[in-house]
């Protein structure tokens, strides 16, 4: 039985990560009555375990238009969610350690320039060491986006949650969706003994979004990632920009608290159904080597925490954002493949466009679910 | 570097050493690692070196029994690696270690976690000031450095360890300004049967304990049922205030205050392994669920000693022996029947040794404010998060410990929640009208002990056996 | 705050606490030596710059960390002293700026 105590709902958002919150916020601000169903608690998975890099640098051209718009939103984030979310635009830098890697950077730059983008810039060793004096002197050049940066995932979660709730969104934590049925033109969503009915559903279930899509009738292949992170003890200010490096797994930055936050996509393992992830230290050692090669002075620092965060991954590493190709009233936002944090503000706005206005003039053609479903080999 | 062993033992205290001796008796290839520089664990800390020092004369028989146990361990043929930190344990079983700045891993057929206990954190306003220390800390200095407080010292405590320390201190010429007994008034009818059982099982221990109390009361001011403590000072302890359950209060000048509220199992390793844990109501703590041999819910991973529930050194040794037998059987060195038969007499001794324990548990229940301290108390020493800010977060939704960690940073510091996890759970339980066992503790994130980036970078597992 | 009951005699070594020589006994912990000094504390916290001293002496609390022989964030309660050891109190966040 549908929950009688519940007032009529326009949209059920499945998944209380940042994308679910952002979609619910934009929808509620457009006057929609929204309920968010979260299996555990808000931000439990990718959104709180994220490195929270806010990066347009080296983005796939297919998602670059929305990424650049999202970047503008990040620079204006306080106006959107009432908090700066710890966002610091200290730049993102992709470093070449060897002269042969400079060619990789040049090729990338040529690609974006040819497509008409000017946000990326190639810098030489002198400028690199001016920006990051702590970096090892063997680094020869870098690609930089000076307006990129990073945010604080916990502050971001808190701000999006608070804004969504004050815009009227109801968040139910501890409600895992187990079944979805079509009832007339509505969807009836069953979650931990309760059911919710609405004409539209947003699937923002992160690493589990493939299961939700299947419940809605869409067979969308979705893999997963278990990206690992290292956090050190707090240290005095060492560097400002976020640093990555050509050809090696590394993303290296310092938080406001002073801890070094080191990631770069090294993979642990995960048991997605059990919602458990495991750090693989033999793999993580590669990240520690990359970090100490680029920043030799950090070797003696203590590692305080490590973890592996679970996230959905698509074949082409691009997310699925848009309406279901088969089921009406269903909208997907998942498969961010390790770089969805930066897209949070804009994807919520896109979903609100689609649901409220029936379309969007933002560029999401390359992100449709069709492209992945078509690739599924016929049974 | 990556190695293999039949058995890897973490911790060279009574349990770990006894298990090593047993396993070696059945020819297992045994590796024992410990972060301390010498075998003995907390109770027999550094006993080999200390036995030739002047303080040895005052440390009592129990300490000298330790010398014999260490001797048996040294002679057992187990490979012993001191100054070694275990920073990750995995099913498999597999342990990751660092020694002399280099990381390596060991794959074993069985793993025994004999990591013992830690003192229960004693949070009250001002407990982070230099000059507030645990009784256990002072006792370690007494044993290993032969050092005592300069001025007559204040002790605010509950439990046998504090009485023992006070007795040792007086014997060695130290002075006590006052003993604030924080043991709450107890339900006598519930304790008497346990007392009788204890007297029957271990009359010697009980008399010894009684002797300490009588002696203490004769020689130093002894204040019972102290319920509240607050410490003051800038940069160091200058004075503290105490109040008894009946409202008698005083403020005294002091530079040193020793506190103690019993010990709790060190469960970080088993938590990080995802082993099943039980709430031990009688001891107000969690402990891994163990079968009769000490095996956890993870196959091949065993716990012996205080890490599986507080029992003291004698119980720890016996449990170590029992686990050693089962581990020998797992390795095929003895049959299950042989293990069972060999364990029989040890189990009877274990039963006797445990009878006194339930009396101690019932008698020395910590006071309630240890669990839910006053708002201005720092709950997380590392990140300096107050009880008030935990409460403020508890008012938003019904957060669990992991959400509190994310929103307040409590538990994110280098001690990894070892000093605050119970406080957080209890404050949340109090604020949300729930019970500690269903709130639970933080998820433990590796490494179990801090390791440096250089150390991790040195880990080279290429070609490691899986 | 604490005093030794005996004279270390043959086992005596000298350590340097913030550069000031102090008498110690070989293999006792650096934290125990700190607790015998006129200023018995080990570090200032990186969060509020508050002073902290060894609390547990058994490797649990991390309030005893100091820079030992140039290596920062060492748990002094687990560090046996040797002749000439340099123990520097650690003030707030350590710096690794090259
Ligand atoms: C270690 C790591 C580092 C990263 N670094 C960066 C970075 O630097 N920059 C960047 O842009 N991005 C980064 N990302 C990616 C970014 O964090 C994610 O793309 C983003 O947070 C995804 O948000 P989400 O809401 O889609 O997923 P999630 O936050 O995982 O939310 C999905 C939610 O759905 C819930 N759910 C699942 N199934 C059900 C069900 N049946 N019923 C109800 N609820 C359900 C889950 O409990 C979960 O809370 C990183 C990710 C990781 C893991
Ligand atoms: S005094 Fe607690 S870790 Fe050293």
């Amino acid at each position: 039985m549908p929950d009688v105590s519940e007032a009529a709902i326009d949209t059920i958002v499945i998944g209380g990560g940042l994308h679910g919150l952002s979609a619910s916020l934009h929808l509620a601000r457009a006057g929609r009555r929204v309920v968010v169903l979260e299996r555990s608690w808000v931000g439990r998975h990718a959104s709180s375990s994220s490195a929270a890099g806010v990066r347009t640098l080296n983005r796939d051209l297919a998602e670059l238009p929305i990424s650049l718009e999202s970047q503008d939103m990040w620079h204006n984030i306080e106006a959107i969610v009432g908090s700066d979310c710890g966002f610091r635009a200290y730049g993102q830098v992709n470093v070449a350690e060897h002269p042969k890697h400079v060619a990789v950077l040049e090729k990338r730059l040529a690609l974006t320039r040819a497509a008409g983008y000017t946000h990326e810039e190639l810098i030489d060793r002198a400028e690199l060491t001016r920006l990051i004096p702590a970096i090892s002197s063997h680094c020869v050049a870098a690609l930089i986006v000076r307006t990129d940066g990073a945010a604080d995932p916990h502050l971001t979660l808190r701000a999006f949650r608070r804004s969504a709730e004050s815009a009227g969104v109801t968040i139910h934590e501890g409600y895992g969706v187990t079944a979805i049925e079509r009832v007339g033109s509505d969807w009836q969503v069953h979650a931990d003994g309760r059911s919710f009915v609405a004409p539209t559903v947003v699937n923002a279930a992160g690493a589990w979004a493939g299961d939700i899509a299947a419940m809605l009738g869409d067979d969308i292949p979705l893999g997963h990632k278990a990206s690992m992170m290292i956090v050190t003890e707090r240290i005095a200010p060492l560097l400002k920009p976020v640093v990555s490096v050509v050809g090696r797994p590394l993303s290296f930055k310092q938080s406001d608290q002073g801890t070094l936050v080191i990631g770069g996509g090294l993979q642990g393992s995960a048991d997605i159904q059990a919602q458990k992830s495991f750090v693989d230290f033999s793999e993580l050692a590669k990240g520690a080597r990359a970090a100490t090669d680029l920043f030799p002075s950090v070797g003696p620092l203590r590692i305080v925490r490590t973890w592996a965060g679970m996230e959905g991954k698509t074949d082409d590493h691009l997310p699925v954002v848009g309406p279901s190709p088969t089921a009406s009233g269903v909208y997907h936002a998942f498969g961010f493949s390790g770089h969805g944090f930066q897209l949070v503000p804009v994807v919520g706005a896109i979903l609100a466009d689609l649901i409220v206005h029936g379309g969007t003039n933002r560029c999401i053609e390359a992100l449709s679910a069709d492209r992945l479903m078509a690739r599924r080999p016929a049974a | 570097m990556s190695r293999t062993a039949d058995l890897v033992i973490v911790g060279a205290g009574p349990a770990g050493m006894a298990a090593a001796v047993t396993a070696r008796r059945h020819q297992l290839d045994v590796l024992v690692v410990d972060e301390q520089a010498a075998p003995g664990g907390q109770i027999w800390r550094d006993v080999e070196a200390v036995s030739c020092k002047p303080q040895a004369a005052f440390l009592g028989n129990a300490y000298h029994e330790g010398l014999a146990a260490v001797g048996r361990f040294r002679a057992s043929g187990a490979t012993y690696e001191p100054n070694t930190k275990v920073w990750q344990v995995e099913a498999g079983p597999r342990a990751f270690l660092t020694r002399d700045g280099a990381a390596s891993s060991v794959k074993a057929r069985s793993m025994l976690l004999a990591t013992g206990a830690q003192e229960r954190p004693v949070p009250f306003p001002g407990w982070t000031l230099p000059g507030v220390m645990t009784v256990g800390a002072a006792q370690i200095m007494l044993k290993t450095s032969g050092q005592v407080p300069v001025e007559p010292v204040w002790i605010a405590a509950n439990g046998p360890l504090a009485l023992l320390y006070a007795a040792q201190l007086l014997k060695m010429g130290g002075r006590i300004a006052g003993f604030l007994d924080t043991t709450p008034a107890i339900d006598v009818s519930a304790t008497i049967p346990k007392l009788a059982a204890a007297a029957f099982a271990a009359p010697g221990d009980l008399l010894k304990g009684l002797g300490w109390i009588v002696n203490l009361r004769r020689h130093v001011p002894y204040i019972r049922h102290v319920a509240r403590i607050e410490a003051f000072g800038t940069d160091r302890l200058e004075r503290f205030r105490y109040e008894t359950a009946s409202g008698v209060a005083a403020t005294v000048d002091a530079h040193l205050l020793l506190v103690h509220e019993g010990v709790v199992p060190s469960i970080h390793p088993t938590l990080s392994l995802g082993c099943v844990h039980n709430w031990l109501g009688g001891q107000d703590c969690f402990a891994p669920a163990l079968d009769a041999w000490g095996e956890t819910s993870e196959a091949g991973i065993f716990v012996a000693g205080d890490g599986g529930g507080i029992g003291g050194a004698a119980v720890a040794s016996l449990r170590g022996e029992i686990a050693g037998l089962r581990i020998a059987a797992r390795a095929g060195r003895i049959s299950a029947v042989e293990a069972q038969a060999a364990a029989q007499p040890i189990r009877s001794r274990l039963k006797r040794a445990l009878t006194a324990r339930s009396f101690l548990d019932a008698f020395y229940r910590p006071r309630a404010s240890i669990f839910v301290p006053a708002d201005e108390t720092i709950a997380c020493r590392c990140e300096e998060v107050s009880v008030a800010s935990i409460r403020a977060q508890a008012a938003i939704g019904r957060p669990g410990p992991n959400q509190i960690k994310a929103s307040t940073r409590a538990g994110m510091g280098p001690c990894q929640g070892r000093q605050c996890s119970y406080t957080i759970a209890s404050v949340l339980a109090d604020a949300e009208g729930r019970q500690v066992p269903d709130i639970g503790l933080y998820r433990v994130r590796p490494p179990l002990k801090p390791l440096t980036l250089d150390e991790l970078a040195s880990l080279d597992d290429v070609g490691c056996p899986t | 705050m604490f005093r030794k009951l005996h004279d270390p005699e043959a086992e005596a070594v000298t350590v340097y606490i913030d550069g000031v020589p102090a008498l110690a006994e070989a293999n006792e912990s650096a934290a125990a030596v700190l607790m015998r000094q006129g200023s018995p504390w080990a570090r200032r916290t990186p969060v509020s710059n508050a002073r902290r001293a060894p609390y547990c002496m058994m490797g649990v609390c991390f309030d005893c960390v100091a820079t030992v022989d140039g290596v920062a964030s060492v748990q002094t309660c687990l560090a046996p002293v040797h002749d000439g050891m340099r123990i520097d109190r650690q003030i707030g966040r350590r710096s690794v700026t090259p």
Side-chain angles (χ1 to χ4, degrees), chain A residues 210 213-222 324-326 332 334 369-370 372-377 379:
Chain A
M215 291 180 203
L216 292 158
D218 280 344
D219 181 13
I220 308 174
L222 184 68
S324 157
T326 61
H332 297 299
F334 64 83
D370 286 327
L372 298 171
M373 294 163 85
R375 277 185 215 163
R376 179 75 105 191

Side-chain angles (χ1 to χ4, degrees), chain A residues 2 75-76 96 115 174 226 268 327 354:
Chain A
H75 281 267
N76 197 25
L354 294 170

Side-chain angles (χ1 to χ4, degrees), chain A residues 14-20 37-41 44-47 49-53 59 175-177 204-206 208 212 227 229 309-311 336 338-342:
Chain A
I14 302 174
L18 280 168
H19 280 289
L37 301 180
E38 165 53 47
R39 181 174 48 204
S40 26
W41 39 275
R44 161 76 179 81
H45 287 294
S47 297
S49 48
S50 179
R59 285 249 168 202
Y175 286 89
V177 173
W208 301 269
I212 299 294
S227 302
M229 300 288 307
M310 283 170 277
E311 209 203 343
F336 291 95
H339 45 262
F341 184 86
Q342 191 268 344

